[in-house]
Amino acid sequence: MDFPVVFDIFGVRIPAHLVFESLAYAVGFRLYLWLRQKTKDPVDNKSRLTVLVAAIVGAAIGSKVLAFAEHPELWPMAQADPVYFIASKSILGGLLGGIIGVEITKAFAGITRSTGDIYVFPLLTAIAIGRMGCLLTGVSDGTWGNATHFILGFDAGDGVIRHPTPLYEIAFLTSFGLGLWHAQRHLQLEEGDFFKIFIIGYCVWRFGIEFLKPVTTYNVASDLNIVQNVATTGALPAFLGLSILQLSALAGVTFYAAFFLQRRLQRGENGRA
């Protein structure tokens, strides 16, 4: 297989990334509509539309902000060519930005109930489909891993055997989704808990998998210098640092873990009252 993969659709050559990204949006949104009808969404239409628009706007902003923070070298390229600005996106940035957008909007609109649970499976599905596009785009997508001798590694188009991290994420999302489906059916969760668990799980995954990628890291052990991990067959990353994305993932985990801890402590105090 030659990377990046390009499909010939009715005589038009379309990059695999664009095909699967479009498919991800379409399938994810259709699944959301189906779930809303099937589960009889308790959130009224006006409130649902409000938070949905807020999520889309917040996700669009967060996706760009984290993408350029993670890969600052893309910003000059984006200024010179709008294609780079459009193409530069971060899934984690989109999720966290969407959350921030929704929470700000709910505060102003007076919406008090949790609204995220219905988005879990559409998001899981859309991310998994989108990652297939990342996989087929190869190393130029910027989501592939470092050089490796691991049995699952293969050439992404630059002559280097790399970790196919998009493939790893597809496998994770599949197993994580099955686990969440089981939890939803067998656990008594409060409204909003399902979405919070999803965010915690995905943030933990992204924190871990980023150690396998050639990203700019903030190295605490080296006087807080910026360190570039260069993935080549002869030079694997020499320093263990944290990237901006990993710090963002830690922030997401910490925020929701603190929420569950605080609720548990409050219930303990109420039980002793």
Side-chain angles (χ1 to χ4, degrees), residues 70-71 92 131 142-143 146 165 169 202-215 217 229 241 243 245-246 249:
E70 182 76 354
H71 296 284
L92 183 63
R131 284 304 187 200
T143 58
N146 291 321
T165 45
E169 185 154 325
Y202 188 71
C203 283
V204 169
W205 162 258
R206 289 303 301 270
F207 177 82
I209 197 64
E210 293 304 306
F211 285 117
L212 298 182
K213 295 182 181 181
V215 297
T217 59
N229 288 339
S243 67
L245 191 146
Q246 287 175 307

Side-chain angles (χ1 to χ4, degrees), residues 20-34 121-123 125-126 129:
F20 281 95
E21 184 177 354
S22 301
L23 189 61
Y25 291 137
V27 173
F29 187 65
R30 289 303 305 174
L31 180 56
Y32 155 73
L33 293 177
W34 179 78
F121 287 119
L123 285 171
T125 304
I129 294 173

Side-chain angles (χ1 to χ4, degrees), residues 46 138 191 228 245 257-259:
K46 181 179 179 180
E191 187 177 74
Q228 181 68 29
L245 191 146
F259 169 84

Side-chain angles (χ1 to χ4, degrees), residues 6-228:
V6 178
F7 295 112
D8 191 326
I9 302 178
F10 301 113
V12 179
R13 292 175 59 79
I14 305 177
H17 198 291
L18 179 59
V19 171
F20 281 95
E21 184 177 354
S22 301
L23 189 61
Y25 291 137
V27 173
F29 187 65
R30 289 303 305 174
L31 180 56
Y32 155 73
L33 293 177
W34 179 78
L35 286 173
R36 188 158 189 246
Q37 182 178 25
K38 182 177 182 294
T39 59
K40 298 180 180 179
D41 188 5
V43 179
D44 64 89
N45 290 337
K46 181 179 179 180
S47 296
R48 179 58 71 188
L49 180 60
T50 299
V51 297
L52 185 59
V53 171
I56 293 173
V57 173
I61 296 173
S63 177
K64 297 297 181 186
V65 169
L66 190 55
F68 287 118
E70 182 76 354
H71 296 284
E73 72 278 5
L74 294 178
W75 180 243
M77 299 166 67
Q79 292 178 302
D81 188 345
V83 171
Y84 286 100
F85 182 83
I86 296 172
S88 299
K89 292 184 287 291
S90 164
I91 290 176
L92 183 63
L95 287 175
L96 299 180
I99 292 170
I100 294 171
V102 167
E103 293 304 322
I104 292 175
T105 301
K106 284 169 62 177
F108 279 102
I111 301 172
T112 56
R113 71 185 310 158
S114 296
T115 57
D117 289 348
I118 197 171
Y119 300 123
V120 171
F121 287 119
L123 285 171
L124 275 168
T125 304
I127 295 172
I129 294 173
R131 284 304 187 200
M132 182 59 69
C134 296
L135 180 71
L136 296 178
T137 300
V139 71
S140 62
D141 182 65
T143 58
W144 275 66
N146 291 321
T148 182
H149 300 295
F150 187 49
I151 189 172
L152 293 180
F154 59 94
D155 183 358
D158 63 344
V160 178
I161 302 301
R162 297 177 180 274
H163 283 289
T165 45
L167 185 61
Y168 296 168
E169 185 154 325
I170 293 171
F172 164 75
L173 291 169
T174 301
S175 58
F176 188 36
L178 290 173
L180 288 173
W181 178 76
H182 179 81
Q184 188 181 49
R185 289 171 58 89
H186 296 91
L187 298 180
Q188 292 295 324
L189 299 173
E190 294 188 19
E191 187 177 74
D193 285 358
F194 195 53
F195 181 77
K196 294 179 180 66
I197 293 171
F198 159 66
I199 293 297
I200 289 175
Y202 188 71
C203 283
V204 169
W205 162 258
R206 289 303 301 270
F207 177 82
I209 197 64
E210 293 304 306
F211 285 117
L212 298 182
K213 295 182 181 181
V215 297
T216 301
T217 59
Y218 203 53
N219 195 317
V220 178
S222 184
D223 297 325
L224 301 181
N225 293 325
I226 296 296
V227 180
Q228 181 68 29

